[in-house]
Amino acid sequence: MSEKIGHNSSVNAVAAKRLLSIIERIEALDAERKNLGDDVKDIYKEAKSAGFDAPTIRLLIKHRAEDDAKRQEREALLETYLAALGQLADTPLGQAAAGRL
């Protein structure tokens, strides 16, 4: 049984062109993202050669991007966990608590 060529084939052609357009746009953005990632790596290498610690810079960038309320919540939770492990004495909160004793 042969398929009839007609309306459905033109609809399929339009859908195929749209799909191809979407795929090509995603591929272009993926290429841009790779290039940007390479640029970021180069900047981290530059920072390291200037004597800066790359992991600390990454943490600082994450810290600057984080919402203040979320950061405070995360820090409070960290202090709670440290207290549960008996490691709070080295934190500002632990030192303040020790000063009250």
Side-chain angles (χ1 to χ4, degrees):
M1 181 163 143
S2 64
E3 291 187 23
K4 294 182 182 178
I5 297 178
H7 177 70
N8 284 340
S9 65
S10 66
V11 169
N12 289 338
V14 170
K17 285 181 183 178
R18 177 125 193 246
L19 177 60
L20 180 60
S21 171
I22 289 169
I23 289 170
E24 288 173 342
R25 288 174 25 221
I26 291 170
E27 288 172 339
L29 290 172
D30 281 343
E32 285 183 43
R33 181 173 31 198
K34 183 194 176 301
N35 290 336
L36 288 172
D38 291 343
D39 292 346
V40 170
K41 285 180 188 177
D42 290 343
I43 294 170
Y44 277 112
K45 286 179 186 176
E46 177 186 341
K48 185 175 181 180
S49 69
F52 296 106
D53 182 60
T56 303
I57 291 174
R58 289 181 195 278
L59 185 60
L60 180 59
I61 290 170
K62 180 181 176 184
H63 181 81
R64 289 170 48 106
E66 195 172 27
D67 178 76
D68 285 340
K70 287 187 179 191
R71 181 175 44 254
Q72 290 171 355
E73 180 181 331
R74 181 183 42 77
E75 289 172 353
L77 189 57
L78 176 62
E79 288 183 357
T80 300
Y81 289 177
L82 288 170
L85 296 172
Q87 298 175 335
L88 190 60
D90 294 335
T91 67
L93 181 61
Q95 291 167 358
R100 294 173 122 190
L101 297 175

